[in-house]
Every structure is written in structure tokens, then in C-alpha cells.
Amino acid sequence: MSFGGHGDPAAQRPASRPSAQPTSYGTPSSAQPQYAQQPQYVQPQSYPQTASTPISPVYGSVLAQRPEHHGAVAYDAYTPPAPVQAVPALPVPSAKGRHASVWAFGVLGFVLLGLIAYFVWALGPAASMIGMVLALVPLTIVFFGVFFIDRWEPEPRSLVAFAIAWGAIASIGLALLVDLLLTLLVGERSSDLAAVIQAPIVEESAKGLGVFLIFLMARRTFDGPVDGIVYGALVGAGFAFTENIQYFAISLIEGGAPDLTVTFVLRGLMSPFAHAMFTSVTGFAIGLAARRGASAARALGFGAVGLLGAMALHALWNGSSMIGNFFVLYFVLQVPLFIGFIVAVILLRKEEARLTYARLGDYAAAGWFTPQEVSMLATPAGRRAGLQWASGLRGDRRPIMRGFIKDATTLASVRQRIITGRDPLAAQDEQAPLHRTHAARDALLAL
């Protein structure tokens, strides 16, 4: 199989498909798009075929010899067949602007040591450990919620890890440092004032900074509002994780198991998405700037507007918990806010699917995909139908179909970056997913 060489690319695609296969996988038309330099394939070498020659087997000892080989008995050596297919020499996409910096993780590790020392000194090792175990529950809930949002086009794992680590380590460290400085400057403050004013301003600024750093480090994978919501939610989840350790440990120390149970239910089960939801507003604004190809300065301006929204939402949430009956306000105010957040995310995911459909449609018009394939790869229903169909093929080819879907989605996002012109390396990134989708189609239709 060879495609992408000089000349008409369509002429190098398979001429026909097995008649027993579904007709939804047609052969692309001959009008191929002229993208960046097409991958060059290494021509297969001709290896001389030599006849088998008798040789004497070599064994470690006489006991290891087969009975018929005692002594010097010859046998025919196996000659491997010559290669029959060339290996494509595809360009390797640049990793620049795709992953979190190793140095950033190093700095976070240094700050983590300080946080561990602080918690052990202030709360004790036993209470801190119990608080950490309980804090894993809301973190896991939020993580799976974010995974559902992000499954259309998953973000790089290093950025996911950095987002959580920034929220859990750097944001908490900055918040504690500012609180210490304010205490030294103005003394003790009202807890209500700190909850409604100080916490929203300081905490959201620290978390929003993490989302902006992700934009700077990995601008090539920060494609739009959904990505911003994902990164913002992960940073918020990390922050809530460490903050919950403190709240759970203090409840255990001051009120024992009863107080710890109440705090766990209120913070861990009734409002695990609170911080994730606040910081998602900042992430949404930065993601909107990223979709428009904004510069770092303009993205910072967008982020500042989103940050104001995050602060207001945070202040409203904290303030409502101190006014009147908590459970009444929880169901009247906080639950509707959360439902509105979920609806907004669903609408943004639909928009992301429409964008994927449109960009794959560009390739279909050029002959790389059939219209049926675009529907299968770019719609939730089509993906489910495709996976179900692949499960019935010989050997259960769902893993191949998942790779086909993933590469097609990547190809759509790359195409969007090419169109907007915000990524000069996008044309190079186009080659690998084009090849892999072509190979996946052949593997799915193979007898």
C-alpha cells in the first residue's frame, strides 16, 4: 500500500474493495488535495533469495540435542521471506507547543515539599492523611466528569497532569502566601469577608494563572473553549483537592468523626464541582481567544474578563452558603447554576462536533473520505454505529476503529489550525493522521 507520492495520489489508492464489505467505505475520488509536502515512501529493497543449505545445529550440550540430531546431522535452515511492502517515511510532528515543560513540573515538586511540611506541622500527619484519602473522592468525581467532556478530543496527558498539579500545589501555595502577607499587614480579618472577597479574588487569580500558563506552553493543543473549560476544571479540581484536605483535617481535629462527616457530605458530595465550575469560566474565555488565533497579550485580556466572571460566581457561591438556610439556597441557587454549567458544556461539545464534521467534509470534498465516513467519524451516533460494526468483524476491530476516529478528529483540528493560520507547523502535522486514517480504513476492510 502506498499513497502520498508524486503524481496523482488517488491513482495510488487501492483500486477496489472486497465486495463483501460495507459500501460505506468507498474509494476516494481521484481529485486529491495538494497539502504540504506529501510523505515520501522508501522503496522496498530486493533481497536475494538463497536456497536452503544444510548446516549443523549448535546446542548447549549433548543433553539438549534432539534424538535425531545426536552427532552431526544436517537440517534445512529457515529462510525469512523478503519484505513485500515499503515503510513510509512520514515527517515527525514537532512536539513544540504541545506539552507541559519539565521545568514547570520541577518547580511544582519543590513547592509540594513545602506544602507537605506545612500540613504536617499545622494539622499533624494522621489528620492530614485521613483528609487526603477523603479528598480523593470528590477529585475522582470531578475527574470523570471532565473525562466525559474531553473524550471528543482528549488533551495531552502531560497537560492534564500539569493542570491538576498547578491547582493542587501552586494555586494553594499562592493563596496561603497571600493570606500570610495580609495577616502580617492588616491582622486578622472577618471570616465572612475573607470568604466573599478575599477567597474569590486570590484563589481565582492563582488558578486562572495556571490556565494561562497552559495556553503559553501548549498553544498548539489549546484549540478552543472546550479545551479551556477542561483545563480550568482540572485546575479547579486540583485546588479543591488540597483545600479539602485542610477542611477535612480541621473538622476531624476540632469535632471528631461527626463534624468530619458533615464537612465531607457538604464539600465532597454536594458540591464537588464548585471550584471546577468557577475556573472553567476563565478557561472558557482563554479558549475563545485561542479559537480566534489571539496573541498572548490578547488571550490575557480575554482571560481577565473571564476571571471577573469566575470571581463573581465564586463570591455568589460562598455568600449564598452564609445567608439563610443552606439547603434551601443550595437547591434554589447553586443547583440551577450547576445545571446551567452542564447545559453550556453540552452546547459547546455540539459545536465542537459540528466543527469536526465541517473540517472532515473538506477532506471528503477532496476525496480522502466518503460522506458516510464523515458522518461516522464526526457524530456521536455515527461513532457508536461504527464501533458496533467493527465489533462484528473478524477479530473484533474496535481498537482499529477507535484509532480511526481519534486520528480523524485530530486531522479535523489540524485542518482548523491551518485555515486560521495560527499554527505555522500545522501543515506538517497533517501528514501523519492522513496516513494513519488511510491505513485504518484498509485494516477495517481487510478480509
Side-chain angles (χ1 to χ4, degrees):
M1 180 265 297
S2 175
F3 93 106
H6 296 290
D8 183 9
Q12 301 175 17
R13 303 288 295 273
S16 61
R17 300 291 179 196
S19 59
Q21 300 301 331
T23 58
S24 60
Y25 288 94
T27 304
S29 64
S30 60
Q32 294 287 5
Q34 296 300 321
Y35 297 109
Q37 181 179 359
Q38 295 295 316
Q40 300 297 321
Y41 281 63
V42 180
Q43 297 297 327
Q45 301 180 7
S46 299
Y47 292 90
Q49 299 291 332
T50 58
S52 299
T53 56
I55 61 174
S56 298
V58 178
Y59 296 99
S61 68
V62 176
L63 297 177
Q65 296 177 359
R66 289 162 50 187
E68 62 270 24
H69 287 166
H70 286 300
V73 180
Y75 72 98
D76 289 341
Y78 169 70
T79 302
V84 295
Q85 184 173 338
V87 177
L90 290 171
V92 179
S94 173
K96 183 180 179 181
R98 289 180 174 276
H99 304 286
S101 170
V102 176
W103 294 104
F105 280 108
V107 173
L108 290 177
F110 180 78
V111 178
L112 176 61
L113 295 177
L115 283 180
I116 293 175
Y118 167 77
F119 276 94
V120 171
W121 169 77
L123 304 173
S128 298
M129 183 62 65
I130 294 174
M132 184 184 69
V133 172
L134 293 177
L136 288 173
V137 175
L139 177 64
T140 303
I141 294 173
V142 176
F143 183 80
F144 277 106
V146 174
F147 174 79
F148 174 79
I149 299 172
D150 192 40
R151 64 178 181 172
W152 186 264
E153 185 192 357
E155 303 306 313
R157 294 180 180 178
S158 66
L159 296 177
V160 170
F162 177 82
I164 296 176
W166 178 272
I169 301 172
S171 296
I172 289 290
L174 290 173
L176 289 174
L177 180 61
V178 171
D179 184 72
L180 176 61
L181 292 176
L182 289 175
T183 301
L184 294 175
L185 292 175
V186 301
E188 295 294 330
R189 281 94 55 210
S190 167
S191 59
D192 292 347
L193 183 66
V196 178
I197 297 179
Q198 177 183 326
I201 295 176
V202 175
E203 294 175 5
E204 294 307 321
S205 297
K207 291 185 290 179
L209 177 60
V211 181
F212 183 67
L213 288 177
I214 293 174
F215 171 81
L216 294 179
M217 289 189 298
R219 194 176 307 185
R220 297 179 63 211
T221 61
F222 209 128
D223 293 320
V226 173
D227 291 352
I229 289 175
V230 167
Y231 291 131
L234 290 172
V235 171
F239 183 93
F241 169 73
T242 306
E243 189 180 53
N244 282 335
I245 294 176
Q246 181 177 7
Y247 274 101
F248 295 160
I250 292 175
S251 297
L252 178 62
I253 294 172
E254 296 181 351
D259 279 10
L260 175 60
T261 302
V262 173
T263 304
F264 175 75
V265 171
L266 294 179
R267 294 186 59 88
L269 300 181
M270 295 184 65
S271 57
F273 288 93
H275 277 286
M277 185 170 61
F278 306 151
T279 316
S280 293
V281 178
T282 305
F284 168 79
I286 296 176
L288 192 62
R291 171 63 55 82
R292 300 181 178 184
S295 63
R298 193 177 179 194
L300 182 61
F302 272 73
V305 176
L307 180 61
L308 293 177
M311 292 177 180
L313 196 62
H314 194 159
L316 178 63
W317 188 283
N318 285 0
S320 66
S321 65
M322 298 181 296
I323 302 174
N325 187 287
F326 170 80
F327 293 98
V328 172
L329 289 171
Y330 176 82
F331 288 104
V332 171
L333 179 62
Q334 296 183 4
V335 170
L337 285 174
F338 180 68
I339 293 176
F341 172 74
I342 295 298
V343 171
V345 169
I346 292 174
L347 294 177
L348 287 172
R349 282 197 60 195
K350 288 182 178 295
E351 176 61 26
E352 191 175 49
R354 284 193 293 268
L355 185 62
T356 302
Y357 191 96
R359 297 288 76 84
L360 291 183
D362 296 343
Y363 289 102
W368 290 100
F369 300 105
T370 66
Q372 294 82 2
E373 286 174 330
V374 173
S375 296
M376 181 191 71
L377 296 168
T379 63
R383 291 182 172 188
R384 289 191 296 269
L387 288 170
Q388 183 178 4
W389 172 76
S391 67
L393 299 177
R394 180 174 58 85
D396 188 358
R397 299 178 190 179
R398 279 178 295 181
I400 300 176
M401 179 61 76
R402 291 190 186 98
F404 192 22
I405 293 171
K406 178 181 178 182
D407 288 327
T409 306
T410 300
L411 190 61
S413 66
V414 170
R415 178 66 179 168
Q416 179 67 20
R417 296 203 302 271
I418 293 175
I419 291 175
T420 58
R422 68 180 183 86
D423 183 3
L425 300 177
Q428 177 185 353
D429 294 346
E430 186 183 43
Q431 302 303 314
L434 275 176
H435 167 71
R436 290 197 297 264
T437 54
H438 177 83
R441 180 196 290 110
D442 286 347
L444 287 167
L445 298 177
L447 295 176

